[in-house]
Amino acid sequence: MAMTDTIFAHPSIAHTRVDRRRLLFHRVGKSAYSVLRGVIVIGICFLILHPVVSRIMISFMTEQDLFDQTVIYIPRQFTLENYATVWRAMNFAVPFFNSLRLTLLVSLFQVVACALIGYGFARFDFPGKRIWFGLVIFTLIVPPQTIMIPLFLHFRFFDVLGLFRLVSGQRGINLLDSIWPFVLMSATGMGMKSGLYIYIVRQFYRSVPRELEEAAYIDGAGVLKTFTMVMLPSGVPAFVTIFLFSFVWQWTDTFYSNLFLRNLLTLPRALNSLPLVISQQMYGEIGTLATMPPAMASMYTNVGSLMLVAPLVILYVVFQRYFVESVERSGMVG
Amino acid sequence: MKRALDPSVRRRAIWGYAFISPFIVGITVFFAIPFVQSIIFSVNELQVTQDGYELIPIGLANYHRAFFIHPQYNRVLLDSVLQMLTELPLIVIFSFLAASLLNQSFRGRTVARAIFFVPVILTSGVLLQLQTQDLLMNALLSAQAGMSADAAREGIMIGRDLAMLLDASRLDPRFVNYVISAVTDINQTVNRTGVQILIFLAGLQSISPSLYEAATIDGATGWEVFWKVTFPMISPLVLVNVIYSVVDIFVRYDNPMMILVRDVAFAQNNYGLSAAFSWVYFLAVLIILGIIASAFSRRVFYQT
């Protein structure tokens, strides 16, 4: 676009009458286009933000406002009572810190493992590399539900090469309801969507100029030292990206925690049973889902969701710039 | 072969294996073994005993049950394949257009980019689950926006106008219906494209500006630049995005098949049947991916 501008603006061409008209058309076309673009971009942003904003506004409404047809968007009786009720019912701090610990642990292991593996694929030549990388992609294609039952039993009767059975005579250790399945899987590049993260890191490192590494080698640094001193710091944008992805997906995950950690009260799980819990607290023993007005049950779930999302939004706003730029730099062509 | 004997090349190869060794352990223990086991489970009846589990071989009975006896399986399988085929083009085309828009320079671009990726957060895991369950909240939301009846009527009217317009053009009615559903379901499409936009955007950014310069100097119009430069350069990512979207649609939590597989395993404790279900499903996914990938790979342009 910029190129055509300069060509048209060149005095010797633009001064003839015909070209002036073309220049005018060109300008009009361009501004029409930017108006159109603005409309589309704002429209899509509206589509995305509108439900969020309405949910936030609704969360400040009293029950009365909720049913009042004349109350639109802005609550007439502004209240924080919904948040207080949900906070008490969830006992928010407990599931929050449970989730935080689990998510941080998993994400850190994911980043470390995928950094090593991705770097290995990006910078070293070894026999069978294409096959191994094909397998990385293959793990992404297989639905986790296909291997869910064997994995479940695997951790129920966990054993390494039958060693444990040899020693104790029992059939493996029960690792379910502990943090170990998560640690073991994410540390070996088999956690949730690890294949995608390995792919991102690999693409990122392929775009880093080789001269950087070669300089370090010439200065006499070994492979490990080059990796830790030169390549790890330059990979930070990619690590931020996969950390964010991993954090978001683990924070809201129910699949793996329902499979391996059935007794830990995570935030998503607390959220799932929220209306029932509130109902029981309000109406005592007879409290079931049916005793609460459905709109209120819905409202409490909504408030709970907002409280679940809030940390993610904060995280995203803090890292957003970093994140978008880093994805651009990684230039995922390949 | 001579290269392999060179000590420094060999050392590099060993380092390479050292770096990916966690993956080799992981894929063996937490992927390959369970993967094979799930085939074995699917031809057995699995009974949990006190000190482990027992497998009673029953041949292909689970598969027979899936196809010929289970009341829902065939329908759910067909439904999820059809759903994928309708959603896929919308997602890929929309994410490409969105990425092209976000790649241009205009005021507020950073903010727009940040907003376009918000759905990645808002539709992950339990949130998507809650949204699909919570129809009431959705009804309430549209009522709050003061657009319950009016907007619905308006939406239908727009749909009808569009339908009349397209009908007049004497296009295939199936195509017309598809376009209309694409317009009315735009919300859903927008919510499912965060990662895909990201991938396309990264690709667009990596196209060297000198290519565009060369094309413009040679007198190419914007239209020609798009088809001769942008599109070929981005085509490998179309394939990546198609594969990502297919897998994403197939394994997402609200996919009816995934719900069925989970229910059969954990609500009815029929592990063998569940394994058979998921295997047939996985093979269907694999066949579809194979067809798509081979159709695309001939048209994809690789720079090197």
Side-chain angles (χ1 to χ4, degrees):
Chain A
M1 289 292 138
M3 248 3 245
T4 44
D5 269 351
T6 50
I7 288 170
F8 281 121
H10 198 278
S12 64
I13 307 172
H15 275 177
T16 65
R17 195 180 253 176
V18 179
D19 279 318
R20 205 175 285 165
R21 196 184 290 159
R22 275 180 68 185
L23 181 64
L24 187 70
F25 272 134
H26 183 72
R27 286 229 174 110
V28 170
K30 247 188 109 173
S31 49
Y33 175 70
S34 62
V35 168
L36 180 71
R37 181 176 59 200
V39 169
I40 294 175
V41 169
I42 291 170
I44 294 172
C45 289
F46 175 78
L47 273 180
I48 294 169
L49 290 183
H50 172 249
V52 185
V53 173
S54 336
R55 273 162 199 272
I56 293 173
M57 294 326 268
I58 287 176
S59 72
F60 294 121
M61 290 182 186
T62 58
E63 195 173 351
Q64 208 182 339
D65 277 2
L66 205 59
F67 291 110
D68 190 342
Q69 285 285 319
T70 60
V71 176
I72 294 165
Y73 287 123
I74 297 159
R76 194 164 292 156
Q77 298 153 299
F78 182 89
T79 174
L80 287 171
E81 192 49 42
N82 298 317
Y83 284 91
T85 310
V86 169
W87 185 286
R88 276 195 305 270
M90 281 172 112
N91 201 0
F92 191 78
V94 174
F96 178 83
F97 283 110
N98 281 342
S99 272
L100 190 67
R101 265 201 304 272
L102 179 69
T103 307
L104 277 180
L105 191 76
V106 168
S107 306
L108 285 178
F109 271 107
Q110 289 257 41
V111 170
V112 172
C114 296
L116 289 172
I117 299 165
Y119 181 66
F121 277 120
R123 276 299 202 258
F124 296 94
D125 278 319
F126 46 87
K129 181 165 130 173
R130 289 176 68 93
I131 296 171
W132 286 114
F133 193 68
L135 285 172
V136 172
I137 303 301
F138 190 68
T139 60
L140 271 177
I141 295 174
V142 176
Q145 284 84 350
T146 306
I147 57 168
M148 128 189 116
I149 299 154
L151 266 182
F152 176 77
L153 293 168
H154 199 47
F155 286 115
R156 171 66 187 79
F157 306 105
F158 190 78
D159 208 341
V160 182
L161 303 169
L163 282 179
F164 184 75
R165 192 172 197 180
L166 211 68
V167 178
S168 70
Q170 274 177 338
R171 193 167 173 179
I173 322 164
N174 185 0
L175 288 187
L176 292 180
D177 299 320
S178 76
I179 210 136
W180 284 105
F182 288 93
V183 171
L184 289 172
M185 287 180 74
S186 44
T188 55
M190 281 296 126
M192 199 190 335
K193 307 214 187 196
S194 285
L196 180 68
Y197 309 145
I198 295 174
Y199 180 76
I200 291 175
V201 173
R202 169 183 176 260
Q203 294 309 103
F204 187 87
Y205 272 133
R206 285 175 87 184
S207 76
V208 174
R210 270 188 190 276
E211 287 77 22
L212 215 64
E213 247 176 326
E214 273 154 18
Y217 285 135
I218 288 167
D219 287 349
V223 173
L224 266 186
K225 198 165 183 195
T226 309
F227 178 65
T228 49
M229 304 300 283
V230 179
M231 295 313 271
L232 269 187
S234 68
V236 165
F239 304 151
V240 171
T241 309
I242 63 176
F243 182 82
L244 272 182
F245 271 130
S246 172
F247 195 96
V248 168
W249 280 325
Q250 183 62 48
W251 186 256
T252 54
D253 168 70
T254 50
F255 177 74
Y256 283 100
S257 51
N258 279 341
L259 206 56
F260 300 137
L261 266 177
R262 285 163 304 169
N263 295 327
L264 184 79
L265 188 69
T266 58
L267 264 184
R269 189 169 293 144
L271 190 57
N272 260 330
S273 57
L274 184 65
L276 185 64
V277 172
I278 293 179
S279 179
Q280 278 167 350
Q281 285 179 356
M282 278 182 173
Y283 304 97
E285 283 294 301
I286 57 151
T288 59
L289 275 179
T291 45
M292 183 164 31
M296 284 314 279
S298 198
M299 145 82 91
Y300 288 130
T301 311
N302 174 42
V303 173
S305 313
L306 289 174
M307 285 160 72
L308 175 97
V309 169
L312 297 181
V313 172
I314 293 169
L315 204 66
Y316 180 62
V317 169
V318 170
F319 285 110
Q320 179 277 125
R321 247 195 118 80
Y322 212 19
F323 166 69
V324 176
E325 300 302 321
S326 81
V327 172
E328 284 170 3
R329 261 190 61 197
S330 68
M332 296 194 211
V333 181
Chain B
M1 276 295 100
K2 227 178 178 180
R3 263 180 77 233
L5 294 174
D6 186 336
S8 76
V9 170
R10 198 158 159 203
R11 214 176 306 133
R12 295 283 295 174
I14 293 170
W15 272 112
Y17 266 105
F19 272 105
I20 69 160
S21 59
F23 175 74
I24 294 175
V25 173
I27 196 161
T28 320
V29 180
F30 302 119
F31 189 83
I33 294 175
F35 194 67
V36 173
Q37 269 178 333
S38 88
I39 305 178
I40 298 171
F41 286 177
S42 73
V43 292
N44 281 287
E45 194 178 319
L46 191 147
Q47 279 177 348
V48 177
T49 57
Q50 280 194 325
D51 63 332
Y53 55 88
E54 264 181 88
L55 294 172
I56 305 157
I58 51 166
L60 293 175
N62 281 327
Y63 290 95
H64 181 261
R65 228 182 118 187
F67 283 124
F68 299 109
I69 299 173
H70 198 273
Q72 290 173 319
Y73 187 73
N74 288 329
R75 189 175 52 78
V76 173
L77 185 64
L78 193 68
D79 274 358
S80 24
V81 171
L82 287 179
Q83 194 192 339
M84 189 281 293
L85 289 178
T86 44
E87 274 182 36
L88 180 67
L90 298 182
I91 289 178
V92 174
I93 293 170
F94 177 81
S95 56
F96 182 69
L97 291 179
S100 316
L101 277 180
L102 292 180
N103 192 39
Q104 295 163 359
S105 53
F106 53 88
R107 235 189 306 157
R109 179 172 75 157
T110 343
V111 179
R113 280 186 189 177
I115 293 173
F116 272 55
F117 305 135
V118 163
V120 176
I121 297 176
L122 294 184
T123 60
S124 59
V126 72
L127 295 167
L128 183 72
Q129 226 169 298
L130 289 172
Q131 271 169 39
T132 40
Q133 283 166 8
D134 201 4
L135 294 173
L136 195 80
M137 194 69 200
N138 291 332
L140 232 129
L141 274 176
S142 46
Q144 281 292 338
M147 41 190 239
S148 53
D150 286 346
R153 213 175 300 131
E154 224 166 85
I156 292 167
M157 286 308 280
I158 292 170
R160 199 179 292 158
D161 285 351
L162 192 67
M164 270 156 67
L165 194 75
L166 290 171
D167 272 343
S169 66
R170 293 173 190 273
L171 288 165
D172 192 321
R174 275 171 299 181
F175 176 73
V176 172
N177 284 334
Y178 184 68
V179 171
I180 292 168
S181 71
V183 172
T184 44
D185 291 346
I186 181 78
N187 234 325
Q188 209 180 9
T189 312
V190 171
N191 276 336
R192 295 190 170 177
T193 46
V195 176
Q196 287 90 331
I197 293 176
L198 221 68
I199 293 175
F200 272 138
L201 195 57
L204 288 172
Q205 295 277 326
S206 71
I207 300 176
S208 152
S210 61
L211 281 175
Y212 288 115
E213 260 165 53
T216 339
I217 288 168
D218 287 348
T221 60
W223 180 253
E224 282 168 335
V225 169
F226 177 80
W227 286 108
K228 303 267 153 102
V229 178
T230 312
F231 194 72
M233 293 302 286
I234 208 87
S235 60
L237 291 183
V238 176
L239 183 62
V240 169
N241 260 340
V242 165
I243 292 175
Y244 181 87
S245 310
V246 169
V247 174
D248 188 51
I249 295 167
F250 271 135
V251 304
R252 61 190 316 127
Y253 296 105
D254 62 345
N255 185 304
M257 182 56 97
M258 296 289 95
I259 296 168
L260 186 66
V261 166
R262 257 202 319 271
D263 274 1
V264 170
F266 292 114
Q268 303 168 22
N269 285 324
N270 199 337
Y271 298 116
L273 187 63
S274 164
F277 276 8
S278 58
W279 258 94
V280 173
Y281 185 60
F282 171 59
L283 288 180
V285 176
L286 210 58
I287 291 169
I288 291 169
L289 277 179
I291 294 171
I292 293 174
S294 65
F296 266 88
S297 58
R298 255 173 265 143
R299 293 178 180 83
V300 167
F301 168 82
Y302 287 104
Q303 199 177 9
T304 45

